[in-house]
Amino acid sequence: MTSKTDIARALLSIKAVFLRPDDPFTWASGIKSPIYCDNRLTLSYPDVRSLVDGAIAELIQEHYPQAQILMGTATAGIAHAAIAAEKLKLPMGYVRGSAKDHGRKNRIEGKLEAGDRVVVVEDLISTGGSVIECVEALREVGADVLGVVSIFTYGMNRSRERFAAESLENISLCDLDTLVEVAVEEGYIRPADRGRLLAFRDNPSDESWMSYEA
């Protein structure tokens, strides 16, 4: 089985996850973040892409062997759902961010019937809001959503609360705790930065992480 450490090393090596605690990024919400994640980059590196999508297929086989269809989130989850579905010989589709304003005005693309057992494939879990909206759209048409498989999760309290409220499980290939340990071991960040990153994870809106001292 592919380990969280394997995925962390791969994401760091291609800068799909980029750590910058001394020069934080600014999210659209205005929150200062020491981490930037763009898992779309995995699609541009065949070895990493194969590792990631093979690992997604492994997790689905292990945790959701009864899955009948994979649904990707728009847009970053679509390609990963397609590749994993091919490996598992399953059908796939995807959920739009909103319904089309023309044609059949679909929000869910692909053949899906009430009662179908679905696994949602997502690239990144931060607060969990966008993927839960996708799950709600699937449930509205009668799908049985077994769970979410994602590439990376920050492990924020807000996301855990949201998933619990929806009685929904998320299984990620990698998480912030693992990534931070690998980043320290391989020299991407200093050991003193470990606590700062985890303090950000615990309360992103509290900028005191920037002056955190272990």
Side-chain angles (χ1 to χ4, degrees):
M1 290 288 290
T2 305
S3 70
K4 290 184 178 183
T5 299
D6 294 332
I7 299 297
R9 288 196 179 104
L11 296 180
L12 286 165
S13 72
I14 63 170
K15 296 185 178 179
V17 178
F18 197 90
L19 301 174
R20 207 167 69 185
D22 291 326
D23 183 19
F25 304 92
T26 302
W27 288 357
S29 62
I31 287 175
K32 301 292 185 183
S33 171
I35 181 170
Y36 180 78
C37 185
D38 181 8
N39 288 325
R40 292 174 180 83
L41 280 174
T42 61
L43 299 172
S44 298
Y45 295 83
D47 289 346
V48 175
R49 184 180 67 220
S50 180
L51 177 73
V52 165
D53 293 319
I56 289 173
E58 287 175 356
L59 284 184
I60 292 169
Q61 283 182 314
E62 178 183 359
H63 295 276
Y64 307 114
Q66 68 274 44
Q68 295 175 302
I69 183 170
L70 306 187
M71 280 283 168
T73 58
T75 58
I78 296 173
H80 296 293
I83 297 169
E86 176 63 21
K87 291 177 180 293
L88 295 169
K89 302 305 177 188
L90 289 174
M92 67 79 61
Y94 64 92
V95 184
R96 293 177 176 273
S98 59
K100 292 193 296 186
D101 61 2
H102 60 280
R104 296 175 63 191
K105 299 185 178 180
N106 292 343
R107 183 171 184 190
I108 297 169
E109 301 289 0
K111 184 175 182 291
L112 180 68
E113 297 181 355
D116 281 352
R117 296 186 294 273
V118 175
V119 173
V120 175
V121 177
E122 174 67 292
D123 74 318
L124 171 66
I125 303 292
S126 52
T127 63
S130 59
V131 73
I132 286 173
E133 286 182 5
C134 292
V135 169
E136 289 172 345
L138 291 164
R139 287 174 170 172
E140 284 174 4
V141 298
D144 178 10
V145 180
L146 304 177
V148 176
V149 172
S150 56
I151 297 173
F152 185 77
T153 180
Y154 292 115
M156 292 178 180
N157 293 330
R158 182 62 175 138
S159 66
R160 289 197 294 268
E161 291 166 357
R162 281 177 160 165
F163 278 99
E166 295 293 328
S167 299
L168 184 65
E169 180 180 47
N170 170 60
I171 302 172
S172 289
L173 304 189
C174 187
D175 53 44
L176 183 61
D177 293 70
T178 303
L179 186 120
V180 166
E181 292 307 316
V182 172
V184 170
E185 289 173 9
E186 301 200 352
Y188 289 95
I189 57 174
R190 300 162 301 189
D193 291 325
R194 181 190 285 111
R196 299 169 72 191
L197 284 154
L198 298 182
F200 164 79
R201 184 271 316 278
D202 291 340
N203 190 354
S205 62
D206 181 357
E207 294 185 0
S208 64
W209 69 264
M210 288 188 276
S211 57
Y212 179 92
E213 293 185 8

